[in-house]
Amino acid sequence: MSTKIFNTAEVQDFLRLASGLTQEGGDARTKAIVHRILSDLFKAIEDLDISSDEYWAGVAYINQLGTRGEAGLLSPGLGLDRYYDMRMDAEDAALGVENGTPRTIEGPLYVAGAPVAQGFARLDDGSDQQGHTLIMHGTVFGADGQPLPGASVEVWHANTKGFYSHFDPTGEQKPFNMRRTIVTDAQGRYKFQSIVPAGYGVPPGGPTHVLLQRLGRHGNRPAHIHFFVTAEGHRKLTTQINIDGDPLVHDDFAYATREGLIPPLVERTDAASIQAHGLTGPFAEIHFDITLSALVDGVDNQLVNRPRLAA
Ligand code: MBD
Ligand code: FE
Protein backbone atom coordinates (compact mmCIF):
# COMPACT_ATOMS: atom_id res chain seq x y z
CA MET A 1 0.00 0.00 0.00
CA SER A 2 1.53 3.31 -1.05
CA THR A 3 -1.12 5.65 0.34
CA LYS A 4 0.36 7.85 3.07
CA ILE A 5 -1.89 8.94 5.96
CA PHE A 6 0.52 9.22 8.91
CA ASN A 7 0.99 12.96 8.60
CA THR A 8 -2.70 13.78 8.23
CA ALA A 9 -4.45 15.74 10.97
CA GLU A 10 -6.81 12.79 11.43
CA VAL A 11 -4.00 10.36 12.33
CA GLN A 12 -2.04 12.89 14.39
CA ASP A 13 -5.16 13.81 16.40
CA PHE A 14 -5.92 10.11 16.83
CA LEU A 15 -2.42 9.46 18.28
CA ARG A 16 -2.95 12.23 20.82
CA LEU A 17 -6.37 10.85 21.70
CA ALA A 18 -5.12 7.23 22.10
CA SER A 19 -2.18 8.43 24.25
CA GLY A 20 -4.50 10.25 26.63
CA LEU A 21 -2.98 13.62 25.75
CA THR A 22 -6.42 15.12 25.27
CA GLN A 23 -7.54 13.97 28.75
CA GLU A 24 -7.01 15.24 32.26
CA GLY A 25 -5.72 12.69 34.75
CA GLY A 26 -3.31 9.83 34.34
CA ASP A 27 0.45 10.25 34.32
CA ALA A 28 2.09 12.87 32.08
CA ARG A 29 5.36 10.97 31.65
CA THR A 30 3.53 7.79 30.65
CA LYS A 31 1.46 9.76 28.16
CA ALA A 32 4.57 11.31 26.62
CA ILE A 33 6.36 7.96 26.27
CA VAL A 34 3.32 6.13 24.91
CA HIS A 35 2.62 8.95 22.47
CA ARG A 36 6.16 8.83 21.13
CA ILE A 37 6.45 5.04 20.85
CA LEU A 38 2.95 4.67 19.39
CA SER A 39 3.71 7.39 16.85
CA ASP A 40 6.97 5.69 15.89
CA LEU A 41 5.10 2.40 15.48
CA PHE A 42 2.35 3.93 13.35
CA LYS A 43 5.02 5.54 11.18
CA ALA A 44 6.96 2.29 10.85
CA ILE A 45 3.76 0.51 9.78
CA GLU A 46 3.28 3.05 7.05
CA ASP A 47 6.93 3.41 5.94
CA LEU A 48 7.67 -0.33 5.89
CA ASP A 49 4.11 -1.22 4.85
CA ILE A 50 3.93 -3.72 7.72
CA SER A 51 1.06 -6.05 6.79
CA SER A 52 -1.78 -7.04 9.10
CA ASP A 53 -0.39 -10.58 9.12
CA GLU A 54 3.02 -9.32 10.20
CA TYR A 55 1.49 -7.07 12.85
CA TRP A 56 -0.62 -9.86 14.39
CA ALA A 57 2.35 -12.21 14.36
CA GLY A 58 4.09 -9.54 16.40
CA VAL A 59 1.21 -9.34 18.88
CA ALA A 60 1.27 -13.13 19.34
CA TYR A 61 5.06 -12.93 19.76
CA ILE A 62 4.78 -10.42 22.60
CA ASN A 63 2.32 -12.72 24.36
CA GLN A 64 4.74 -15.64 24.01
CA LEU A 65 7.60 -13.52 25.28
CA GLY A 66 5.62 -12.65 28.40
CA THR A 67 4.32 -16.15 28.98
CA ARG A 68 7.86 -17.50 28.85
CA GLY A 69 9.21 -14.67 30.99
CA GLU A 70 11.77 -13.74 28.32
CA ALA A 71 11.28 -9.98 27.95
CA GLY A 72 14.32 -9.38 30.14
CA LEU A 73 16.30 -11.79 27.97
CA LEU A 74 15.36 -10.35 24.60
CA SER A 75 16.32 -6.92 25.94
CA PRO A 76 20.10 -7.58 26.14
CA GLY A 77 19.85 -9.64 22.94
CA LEU A 78 18.58 -6.58 21.09
CA GLY A 79 21.31 -4.44 22.64
CA LEU A 80 19.09 -2.28 24.83
CA ASP A 81 21.02 -3.11 28.02
CA ARG A 82 24.27 -2.24 26.26
CA TYR A 83 22.70 0.96 24.97
CA TYR A 84 21.86 2.06 28.53
CA ASP A 85 25.51 1.42 29.46
CA MET A 86 26.64 3.52 26.50
CA ARG A 87 24.37 6.31 27.70
CA MET A 88 25.76 6.14 31.24
CA ASP A 89 29.32 6.14 29.91
CA ALA A 90 28.51 9.17 27.77
CA GLU A 91 26.91 10.95 30.73
CA ASP A 92 30.04 10.27 32.79
CA ALA A 93 32.26 11.55 29.99
CA ALA A 94 30.18 14.74 29.70
CA LEU A 95 30.39 15.33 33.47
CA GLY A 96 34.08 14.42 33.60
CA VAL A 97 33.33 11.51 35.95
CA GLU A 98 36.13 8.93 36.11
CA ASN A 99 35.27 5.26 36.14
CA GLY A 100 37.73 2.66 37.41
CA THR A 101 36.51 -0.79 36.49
CA PRO A 102 34.16 -0.52 33.50
CA ARG A 103 30.48 -1.19 34.00
CA THR A 104 28.68 -3.78 31.98
CA ILE A 105 25.15 -5.09 31.90
CA GLU A 106 23.39 -6.79 34.82
CA GLY A 107 21.44 -9.33 32.77
CA PRO A 108 18.15 -10.92 33.88
CA LEU A 109 19.38 -13.59 36.31
CA TYR A 110 20.36 -11.81 39.56
CA VAL A 111 18.57 -12.93 42.73
CA ALA A 112 18.67 -10.77 45.86
CA GLY A 113 19.21 -12.31 49.28
CA ALA A 114 22.31 -14.48 48.78
CA PRO A 115 24.21 -15.59 51.90
CA VAL A 116 26.75 -13.06 53.19
CA ALA A 117 30.35 -14.06 53.99
CA GLN A 118 33.32 -12.14 55.39
CA GLY A 119 36.36 -11.98 53.09
CA PHE A 120 35.97 -15.44 51.60
CA ALA A 121 33.17 -17.69 50.39
CA ARG A 122 32.80 -20.96 48.64
CA LEU A 123 30.12 -20.42 46.00
CA ASP A 124 29.46 -23.93 44.69
CA ASP A 125 28.14 -26.82 46.79
CA GLY A 126 30.41 -29.41 45.16
CA SER A 127 27.54 -31.16 43.36
CA ASP A 128 28.60 -30.25 39.80
CA GLN A 129 30.63 -33.32 38.79
CA GLN A 130 32.17 -31.58 35.77
CA GLY A 131 33.33 -28.63 37.85
CA HIS A 132 36.89 -27.37 37.52
CA THR A 133 37.86 -25.54 40.70
CA LEU A 134 38.17 -21.78 40.39
CA ILE A 135 39.85 -19.43 42.83
CA MET A 136 39.09 -15.78 42.15
CA HIS A 137 40.35 -12.94 44.28
CA GLY A 138 41.32 -9.31 44.27
CA THR A 139 41.15 -6.00 46.07
CA VAL A 140 38.35 -3.45 45.91
CA PHE A 141 39.76 0.08 45.63
CA GLY A 142 38.01 3.36 46.20
CA ALA A 143 38.05 6.31 43.84
CA ASP A 144 41.12 7.61 45.71
CA GLY A 145 43.03 4.42 44.94
CA GLN A 146 42.95 3.17 48.54
CA PRO A 147 41.68 -0.33 49.42
CA LEU A 148 38.10 -0.43 50.69
CA PRO A 149 37.49 -2.67 53.71
CA GLY A 150 33.84 -3.60 54.26
CA ALA A 151 32.83 -3.30 50.61
CA SER A 152 30.13 -5.69 49.40
CA VAL A 153 30.99 -7.93 46.47
CA GLU A 154 27.86 -9.68 45.21
CA VAL A 155 28.79 -12.44 42.80
CA TRP A 156 26.70 -14.84 40.72
CA HIS A 157 27.45 -17.21 37.86
CA ALA A 158 26.30 -20.33 36.01
CA ASN A 159 27.30 -23.98 36.43
CA THR A 160 29.07 -26.16 33.85
CA LYS A 161 25.83 -26.45 31.86
CA GLY A 162 25.43 -22.68 31.68
CA PHE A 163 22.46 -22.76 34.08
CA TYR A 164 21.92 -20.42 37.05
CA SER A 165 20.37 -21.45 40.34
CA HIS A 166 16.73 -20.26 40.60
CA PHE A 167 16.53 -20.41 36.77
CA ASP A 168 17.80 -23.95 36.18
CA PRO A 169 15.40 -25.91 33.92
CA THR A 170 16.84 -29.21 35.24
CA GLY A 171 15.86 -28.28 38.80
CA GLU A 172 19.24 -29.62 39.94
CA GLN A 173 20.61 -26.60 41.78
CA LYS A 174 19.81 -25.59 45.34
CA PRO A 175 18.76 -22.00 46.06
CA PHE A 176 21.69 -19.56 45.93
CA ASN A 177 24.13 -22.09 44.54
CA MET A 178 26.94 -19.99 43.05
CA ARG A 179 25.53 -16.79 44.52
CA ARG A 180 27.09 -14.99 47.48
CA THR A 181 27.76 -11.59 48.97
CA ILE A 182 31.39 -11.30 50.10
CA VAL A 183 32.38 -8.44 52.38
CA THR A 184 35.97 -7.31 51.80
CA ASP A 185 38.47 -7.79 54.65
CA ALA A 186 40.54 -5.15 56.47
CA GLN A 187 42.82 -4.88 53.41
CA GLY A 188 39.89 -4.49 51.00
CA ARG A 189 40.28 -8.03 49.67
CA TYR A 190 37.65 -10.50 48.51
CA LYS A 191 38.23 -14.13 47.57
CA PHE A 192 36.06 -17.03 46.54
CA GLN A 193 36.28 -20.66 45.59
CA SER A 194 33.88 -21.95 42.98
CA ILE A 195 33.96 -23.78 39.66
CA VAL A 196 34.69 -22.34 36.23
CA PRO A 197 31.30 -21.58 34.67
CA ALA A 198 30.22 -22.46 31.14
CA GLY A 199 28.63 -20.02 28.71
CA TYR A 200 24.89 -19.40 28.71
CA GLY A 201 22.54 -20.05 25.83
CA VAL A 202 18.99 -18.72 25.50
CA PRO A 203 16.30 -21.43 25.91
CA PRO A 204 16.24 -23.42 22.65
CA GLY A 205 13.08 -22.84 20.65
CA GLY A 206 11.90 -20.05 22.93
CA PRO A 207 10.76 -16.67 21.62
CA THR A 208 14.16 -15.01 22.11
CA HIS A 209 15.87 -17.83 20.24
CA VAL A 210 13.28 -17.71 17.45
CA LEU A 211 13.73 -13.99 16.87
CA LEU A 212 17.53 -14.12 17.04
CA GLN A 213 17.49 -16.87 14.40
CA ARG A 214 15.30 -14.70 12.19
CA LEU A 215 18.01 -12.05 12.53
CA GLY A 216 20.66 -14.60 11.53
CA ARG A 217 22.14 -14.41 15.04
CA HIS A 218 22.91 -16.86 17.83
CA GLY A 219 21.81 -16.61 21.46
CA ASN A 220 24.99 -17.58 23.27
CA ARG A 221 27.17 -15.83 25.80
CA PRO A 222 30.79 -16.53 26.65
CA ALA A 223 31.35 -17.93 30.15
CA HIS A 224 31.21 -15.04 32.61
CA ILE A 225 30.84 -14.05 36.26
CA HIS A 226 28.58 -11.21 37.42
CA PHE A 227 29.29 -8.63 40.13
CA PHE A 228 27.56 -5.87 42.01
CA VAL A 229 30.10 -3.99 44.11
CA THR A 230 28.97 -1.45 46.68
CA ALA A 231 30.77 0.61 49.32
CA GLU A 232 30.28 3.75 51.38
CA GLY A 233 30.84 6.95 49.44
CA HIS A 234 30.89 5.19 46.07
CA ARG A 235 28.56 4.41 43.21
CA LYS A 236 27.33 0.85 42.85
CA LEU A 237 29.31 -0.96 40.16
CA THR A 238 27.49 -3.48 37.98
CA THR A 239 29.95 -5.53 35.99
CA GLN A 240 31.05 -8.96 34.77
CA ILE A 241 34.27 -10.68 33.86
CA ASN A 242 34.57 -13.10 30.96
CA ILE A 243 36.44 -16.38 31.19
CA ASP A 244 39.57 -15.78 29.12
CA GLY A 245 39.88 -18.13 26.16
CA ASP A 246 36.15 -18.72 25.68
CA PRO A 247 35.61 -18.70 21.89
CA LEU A 248 32.63 -16.35 22.28
CA VAL A 249 34.46 -13.69 24.30
CA HIS A 250 34.12 -11.33 21.35
CA ASP A 251 30.86 -12.77 20.04
CA ASP A 252 28.44 -12.30 22.96
CA PHE A 253 24.75 -12.18 22.03
CA ALA A 254 24.24 -9.73 24.94
CA TYR A 255 27.17 -7.43 24.01
CA ALA A 256 28.58 -7.34 27.56
CA THR A 257 32.27 -7.91 26.75
CA ARG A 258 34.47 -4.89 27.38
CA GLU A 259 38.16 -4.16 27.44
CA GLY A 260 39.41 -4.56 30.99
CA LEU A 261 36.89 -7.28 31.81
CA ILE A 262 38.79 -10.32 30.47
CA PRO A 263 41.34 -11.02 33.21
CA PRO A 264 43.85 -13.82 32.54
CA LEU A 265 42.91 -17.24 33.86
CA VAL A 266 45.96 -19.15 35.08
CA GLU A 267 45.91 -22.93 35.48
CA ARG A 268 47.73 -23.92 38.69
CA THR A 269 49.02 -27.46 39.00
CA ASP A 270 51.95 -27.07 41.39
CA ALA A 271 51.72 -28.43 44.91
CA ALA A 272 52.62 -25.13 46.57
CA SER A 273 49.76 -23.22 44.90
CA ILE A 274 47.30 -26.05 45.59
CA GLN A 275 48.32 -26.08 49.25
CA ALA A 276 48.25 -22.32 49.56
CA HIS A 277 44.50 -22.34 48.85
CA GLY A 278 43.76 -25.45 50.93
CA LEU A 279 42.85 -27.45 47.82
CA THR A 280 43.58 -31.04 46.84
CA GLY A 281 44.07 -30.73 43.09
CA PRO A 282 44.72 -28.44 40.11
CA PHE A 283 42.65 -25.28 39.82
CA ALA A 284 42.15 -22.17 37.76
CA GLU A 285 43.05 -18.80 39.27
CA ILE A 286 41.78 -15.36 38.34
CA HIS A 287 43.15 -12.22 39.95
CA PHE A 288 40.84 -9.26 39.42
CA ASP A 289 41.03 -5.95 41.23
CA ILE A 290 38.01 -3.67 41.21
CA THR A 291 38.02 0.13 41.39
CA LEU A 292 34.82 1.97 42.24
CA SER A 293 33.81 5.48 41.19
CA ALA A 294 32.98 8.26 43.61
CA LEU A 295 29.49 9.56 44.30
CA VAL A 296 28.52 12.54 42.14
CA ASP A 297 27.48 15.53 44.26
CA GLY A 298 27.00 13.10 47.13
CA VAL A 299 24.68 10.70 45.31
CA ASP A 300 24.81 7.66 43.08
CA ASN A 301 23.51 9.44 39.98
CA GLN A 302 23.34 6.21 37.97
CA LEU A 303 21.77 3.75 40.40
CA VAL A 304 19.48 1.42 38.47
CA ASN A 305 16.27 0.32 40.15
CA ARG A 306 14.60 -2.52 38.32
CA PRO A 307 12.29 -5.31 39.43
CA ARG A 308 14.53 -8.10 40.70
CA LEU A 309 13.80 -11.56 42.03
CA ALA A 310 14.43 -11.95 45.77
CA ALA A 311 14.52 -15.22 47.64
C1 MBD B 1 22.87 -14.32 31.19
O1 MBD B 1 23.53 -15.09 32.04
C2 MBD B 1 23.24 -13.03 31.11
O2 MBD B 1 24.24 -12.64 31.89
C3 MBD B 1 22.61 -12.17 30.21
C4 MBD B 1 23.05 -10.78 30.07
C5 MBD B 1 21.57 -12.61 29.44
C6 MBD B 1 21.18 -13.91 29.56
C7 MBD B 1 21.83 -14.76 30.42
FE1 FE C 1 24.90 -14.17 33.14
Side-chain angles (χ1 to χ4, degrees), residues 46 87 132 148 229 241 255 263 277 290:
E46 177 166 282
R87 283 174 49 80
H132 180 43
L148 281 174
V229 187
I241 59 115
Y255 308 109
H277 293 284
I290 296 165

Coordinates of all heavy atoms in Angstrom, one line a residue, residues 46 87 132 148 229 241 255 263 277 290:
E46 N 3.5 2.4 8.4 CA 3.3 3.1 7.1 C 4.5 3.0 6.2 O 4.5 2.5 5.0 CB 2.9 4.5 7.2 CG 2.7 5.3 5.9 CD 2.0 6.6 6.1 OE1 0.8 6.6 6.2 OE2 2.7 7.6 6.1
R87 N 24.9 5.0 27.3 CA 24.4 6.3 27.7 C 25.0 6.7 29.0 O 25.3 7.9 29.2 CB 22.8 6.2 27.8 CG 22.1 6.3 26.5 CD 20.6 6.1 26.6 NE 20.0 6.9 27.6 CZ 19.6 8.2 27.5 NH1 19.9 8.8 26.3 NH2 19.1 8.9 28.4
H132 N 35.5 -27.6 37.4 CA 36.9 -27.4 37.5 C 37.0 -26.2 38.5 O 36.5 -25.1 38.3 CB 37.5 -27.0 36.2 CG 39.0 -26.7 36.2 ND1 39.9 -27.5 37.0 CD2 39.7 -25.7 35.7 CE1 41.1 -27.0 36.8 NE2 41.0 -25.9 36.1
L148 N 39.4 -0.7 50.0 CA 38.1 -0.4 50.7 C 37.7 -1.6 51.5 O 37.1 -2.6 51.0 CB 37.0 -0.2 49.7 CG 36.9 1.2 49.1 CD1 35.8 1.2 48.0 CD2 36.6 2.3 50.1
V229 N 29.2 -4.4 43.1 CA 30.1 -4.0 44.1 C 29.7 -2.7 44.7 O 29.5 -1.7 44.0 CB 31.6 -3.9 43.6 CG1 32.5 -3.7 44.7 CG2 31.9 -5.2 42.8
I241 N 33.0 -10.3 34.5 CA 34.3 -10.7 33.9 C 34.0 -11.9 32.9 O 33.1 -12.7 33.2 CB 35.4 -11.0 34.8 CG1 35.1 -12.2 35.7 CG2 35.8 -9.8 35.6 CD1 35.9 -13.4 35.5
Y255 N 26.3 -8.6 24.2 CA 27.2 -7.4 24.0 C 27.8 -6.9 25.3 O 27.9 -5.7 25.5 CB 26.5 -6.3 23.2 CG 25.8 -6.8 22.0 CD1 24.4 -6.9 21.8 CD2 26.6 -7.2 20.9 CE1 23.9 -7.3 20.7 CE2 26.0 -7.6 19.7 CZ 24.7 -7.7 19.6 OH 24.1 -8.2 18.4
P263 N 40.1 -10.8 32.5 CA 41.3 -11.0 33.2 C 41.9 -12.4 32.8 O 41.2 -13.3 32.5 CB 40.9 -11.0 34.7 CG 39.5 -11.4 34.7 CD 38.9 -10.8 33.4
H277 N 45.9 -22.6 48.8 CA 44.5 -22.3 48.9 C 43.7 -23.5 49.5 O 42.5 -23.5 49.5 CB 44.0 -22.1 47.4 CG 44.5 -20.9 46.8 ND1 44.1 -19.6 47.1 CD2 45.5 -20.7 45.9 CE1 44.7 -18.7 46.4 NE2 45.6 -19.3 45.7
I290 N 39.2 -4.4 41.6 CA 38.0 -3.7 41.2 C 38.2 -2.3 41.8 O 38.5 -2.1 42.9 CB 36.7 -4.3 41.8 CG1 36.5 -5.7 41.2 CG2 35.5 -3.5 41.6 CD1 35.6 -6.6 41.9

